[in-house]
């Protein structure tokens, strides 16, 4: 539902996540044309008014790493007990049959779940472009995002190093450097909007050091910098990957990426588990970012990222669900809770707290995506991206002493009550507003069967 003005009144608590860590109590929010115009006691006339009595409002969460297509290969019994490399080798054989329908419906399902769990900006890392399929998969993702009403950062991912050339993926999902770069440039020109409050941006994202040639990494960085778009890839997820780059290039993963120009405040890496002390220093110095994916890291037995140390060193860190074949869901609220617990387990009283984790999922994500000026906190002039939770749920009784930390310390299960993106209500009373959830789920399950039987 689109509206030019929105008035949210009688909010119990607004956790702004601004630079003063301001919490507003019993206040109203007035939104016009997708932007927060006022947070005060003032009363406004608006096209739509929400009575938020008893509600807590948080800034919209930002997901900094995902593979939406993987939702259709989640919970497969045969890969439940595998680590990354064997897990990938098995799944490539299914993923080579992806098509536009699979992408459309996995995007609707995954981003639907994200919206229902408070996420308002989604970054997706799509890197599988099967040889026999038209090059329109990213276009289809943008359409799905528009249909749902979520803010979308897509990436033109890629794989260019097949098994026969010493990489991991099969030929059927590998493309030439020229083909990849041409399509990357086309997508940037067609979709990348760098204006404030933009709903669509592009990122260039070759898949990983073990599925892409050094030449493609280098040329992608040059192209991204020509158009001022960001760069993303997987890095330091496993020891297998570290052994691969040492053996093949005589360098540790970060050193290898640095040699290809992949360092700086326009670059962020997914996972970043196995960085050593010196490498953390380099990330801090260059403001190179990390997308932390705690559930995926646990599921694939990859390890625990040094997030508490990274936060103290002011390395940009965002939170992410990762692809649903290694998670197996798109619930970003769950990620906040798990990140909190995992850091507690590793660092005890040196761990970052629940509120700091929330700030990674808001401020941190915004910084990584280059959106710190218009996203990531609630204040006048910022985009009206937020979500609301009724504090009078039975499972939240007794949590009122620290709403800032609550999403980490206590955790919120299930759907939020409202999600608002760009000033528009996209989740209302826990349900998606712009699609028929049941219809989409039924159709999606038919496509899941088709994909998994095609192999
Ligand atoms: Zn990933």
């Amino acid at each position: 539902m689109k509206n030019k003005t929105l008035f949210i009144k009688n909010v119990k608590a607004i956790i702004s996540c601004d630079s003063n860590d301001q919490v507003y109590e019993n206040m109203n929010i007035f939104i016009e044309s997708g932007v927060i115009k006022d947070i005060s006691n003032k009363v406004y006339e608006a096209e739509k008014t929400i009575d938020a009595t008893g509600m807590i409002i948080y800034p919209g969460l930002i997901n900094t790493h995902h593979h939406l297509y993987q939702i259709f290969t989640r919970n497969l019994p045969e890969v439940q007990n595998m680590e990354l490399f064997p897990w990938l080798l098995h799944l490539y054989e299914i993923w080579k049959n992806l098509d536009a329908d699979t992408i459309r419906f996995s995007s609707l399902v995954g981003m639907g779940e994200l919206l229902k769990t408070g996420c308002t900006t989604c970054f997706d890392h799509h890197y599988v472009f099967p040889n026999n399929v038209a090059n329109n998969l990213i276009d289809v993702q943008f359409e799905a995002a528009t249909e749902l009403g979520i803010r979308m950062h897509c990436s033109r991912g890629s794989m260019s190093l097949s098994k026969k050339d010493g990489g991991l993926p099969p030929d059927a999902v590998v493309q030439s450097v020229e083909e990849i770069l041409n399509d990357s440039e086309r997508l940037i020109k067609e979709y990348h909007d760098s204006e404030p409050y933009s709903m669509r941006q592009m990122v260039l994202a070759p898949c990983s050091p073990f599925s892409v040639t050094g030449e493609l990494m280098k040329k992608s960085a040059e192209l991204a910098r020509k158009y001022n778009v960001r760069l993303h890839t997987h890095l330091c997820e496993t020891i297998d990957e570290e052994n691969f780059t040492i053996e093949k290039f005589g360098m540790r993963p970060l050193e290898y990426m640095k040699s290809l120009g992949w360092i700086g405040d326009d670059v962020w890496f997914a996972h970043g588990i196995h960085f050593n002390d010196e490498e953390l220093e380099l990330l801090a110095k260059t403001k190179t970012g990390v997308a932390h994916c705690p559930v995926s890291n646990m599921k694939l037995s990859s390890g625990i990222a040094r997030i508490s140390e990274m936060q103290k060193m002011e390395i940009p860190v965002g939170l992410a669900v990762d692809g649903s074949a290694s998670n197996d869901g798109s619930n970003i609220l769950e990620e906040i809770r798990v990140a909190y617990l995992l850091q507690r387990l590793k660092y005890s009283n040196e761990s970052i707290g629940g509120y700091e984790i929330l700030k990674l999922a808001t401020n941190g994500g915004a910084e990584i995506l280059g959106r710190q000026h218009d996203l990531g906190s609630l204040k006048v002039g910022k985009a009206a991206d937020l979500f609301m939770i009724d504090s009078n749920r039975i499972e939240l009784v007794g949590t009122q002493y620290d709403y800032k930390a609550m999403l980490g310390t206590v955790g919120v299960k299930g759907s939020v009550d409202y999600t608002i993106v760009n000033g528009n209500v996209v989740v209302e009373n826990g349900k998606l507003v712009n699609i028929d959830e049941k219809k989409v789920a039924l159709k999606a399950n038919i496509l899941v069967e088709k994909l998994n039987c095609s192999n």
Side-chain angles (χ1 to χ4, degrees):
M1 190 185 299
K2 289 205 158 123
N3 41 266
K4 196 166 183 304
T5 51
L6 175 66
F7 183 52
I8 308 172
K9 66 178 185 183
N10 307 325
V11 190
K12 182 173 184 181
I14 301 164
I15 314 302
S16 73
C17 292
D18 69 8
S19 50
N20 303 315
D21 299 316
Q22 180 92 36
V23 176
Y24 302 92
E25 290 180 1
N26 303 315
M27 289 273 194
N28 307 325
I29 305 178
F30 179 65
I31 293 158
E32 192 176 13
S33 304
V35 179
I36 298 173
K37 293 288 178 187
D38 194 13
I39 302 176
S40 72
N41 289 317
K42 224 168 133 184
V43 174
Y44 289 84
E45 284 293 318
E47 276 170 45
K48 185 174 172 74
T49 297
I50 298 171
D51 184 355
T53 303
M55 295 274 185
I56 314 159
I57 292 188
Y58 296 92
L61 304 173
I62 295 171
N63 185 44
T64 56
H65 184 68
H66 206 336
H67 313 288
L68 288 159
Y69 73 91
Q70 291 184 2
I71 283 159
F72 282 14
T73 49
R74 65 172 145 179
N75 203 28
L76 296 179
E78 61 271 29
V79 291
Q80 280 172 6
N81 203 21
M82 289 180 182
E83 291 193 15
L84 183 68
F85 277 23
W87 177 90
L88 279 171
L89 286 170
H90 183 94
L91 290 175
Y92 286 141
E93 295 302 321
I94 302 177
W95 296 341
K96 70 184 184 195
N97 296 310
L98 291 178
D99 59 19
D101 253 4
T102 327
I103 296 302
R104 171 168 147 70
F105 276 86
S106 55
S107 297
L108 287 175
V109 168
M111 291 191 286
E113 186 178 353
L114 282 170
L115 284 172
K116 288 175 71 169
T117 57
C119 176
T120 53
T121 300
C122 175
F123 165 71
D124 191 67
H125 186 180
H126 187 83
Y127 57 84
V128 181
F129 294 84
N131 295 341
N132 51 351
V133 163
N135 242 355
N136 67 342
L137 304 184
I138 303 302
D139 310 64
V140 169
Q141 284 198 305
F142 273 125
E143 281 166 27
T146 302
E147 193 173 339
L148 287 161
I150 196 167
R151 212 179 284 278
M152 183 70 175
H153 287 224
C154 277
S155 65
R156 198 344 172 145
S158 49
M159 294 196 284
S160 65
L161 190 66
S162 78
K163 212 183 236 164
K164 68 172 177 348
D165 300 317
L168 213 59
D171 285 351
V173 288
V174 163
Q175 295 178 298
S176 72
V177 171
E178 195 190 356
E179 202 176 354
I180 292 163
L181 293 174
N182 285 343
D183 196 42
S184 300
E185 192 161 22
R186 171 186 77 83
L187 287 162
I188 294 171
K189 285 183 177 162
E190 201 158 330
Y191 293 104
H192 186 68
D193 173 7
S194 56
E195 290 298 310
Y197 316 117
S198 97
M199 294 295 286
R200 289 175 165 184
Q201 294 208 358
M202 276 303 299
V203 171
L204 297 190
C207 185
S208 65
F210 52 83
S211 56
V212 162
T213 55
E215 183 201 3
L216 178 62
M217 284 284 185
K218 250 192 197 161
K219 288 193 168 159
S220 295
E222 285 164 14
L223 185 64
R225 286 173 179 139
K226 178 177 164 195
Y227 287 100
N228 211 10
V229 304
R230 288 178 176 248
L231 287 161
H232 177 67
T233 193
H234 292 94
L235 204 74
C236 291
E237 181 174 4
T238 64
I239 298 296
D240 284 344
E241 173 206 308
E242 191 174 304
N243 292 338
F244 180 93
T245 63
I246 290 173
E247 214 169 277
K248 220 164 156 52
F249 314 113
M251 288 179 259
R252 289 177 49 80
L254 186 63
E255 196 184 354
Y256 173 57
M257 294 311 290
K258 191 180 164 208
S259 77
L260 300 169
W262 275 67
I263 204 97
D265 63 3
D266 56 349
V267 178
W268 87 102
F269 298 122
H271 305 295
I273 298 169
H274 301 287
F275 290 124
N276 63 26
D277 291 352
E278 206 179 302
E279 289 163 349
L280 288 186
E281 294 287 349
L282 181 63
L283 296 177
K285 204 171 88 189
T286 55
K287 292 286 169 214
T288 308
V290 172
H292 178 40
C293 312
V295 174
S296 166
N297 298 162
M298 291 164 75
K299 170 107 196 267
L300 293 173
S301 308
S302 305
I304 307 178
R306 298 166 68 180
I307 300 304
S308 296
E309 292 167 81
M310 291 183 194
Q311 193 248 1
K312 286 182 185 112
M313 296 170 76
E314 298 182 353
I315 295 168
V317 176
L319 211 61
V321 297
D322 198 7
S324 286
S326 62
N327 183 309
D328 288 352
S330 302
N331 184 332
I332 187 127
L333 282 174
E334 186 180 40
E335 226 59 47
I336 293 181
R337 167 97 163 127
V338 171
Y340 168 76
L341 292 175
L342 203 53
Q343 292 300 300
R344 290 283 305 156
L345 180 66
K346 185 173 169 72
Y347 291 100
S348 183
N349 56 5
E350 293 292 313
S351 169
I352 61 173
Y355 178 54
E356 281 73 34
I357 301 275
L358 171 66
K359 288 188 83 170
L360 299 185
T362 52
N363 295 188
E367 184 180 357
I368 275 181
L369 296 183
R371 301 296 298 263
Q372 59 271 52
H373 302 297
D374 57 348
L375 306 180
S377 61
L378 298 176
K379 60 189 228 183
V380 172
K382 286 244 178 170
D385 288 9
L386 55 92
F387 68 98
M388 300 163 61
I389 290 170
D390 185 355
S391 65
N392 294 319
R393 297 177 181 201
I394 206 161
E395 65 270 24
L396 296 181
V397 169
T399 58
Q400 60 267 39
Y401 301 109
D402 195 355
Y403 286 138
K404 279 165 47 182
M406 183 181 80
L407 301 179
T409 51
V410 180
V412 168
K413 285 89 185 167
S415 300
V416 304
D417 292 282
Y418 283 86
T419 302
I420 288 159
V421 183
N422 199 32
N424 298 309
V425 179
V426 292
V427 172
E428 190 159 25
N429 300 318
K431 290 265 177 261
L432 295 168
V433 170
N434 296 323
I435 61 167
D436 182 328
E437 288 188 33
K438 192 139 197 199
K439 262 193 199 158
V440 168
L442 283 170
K443 170 80 176 163
N445 263 325
I446 293 168
L447 292 169
V448 167
E449 296 282 344
K450 195 178 143 206
L451 178 69
N452 286 288
C453 293
S454 58
N455 182 36

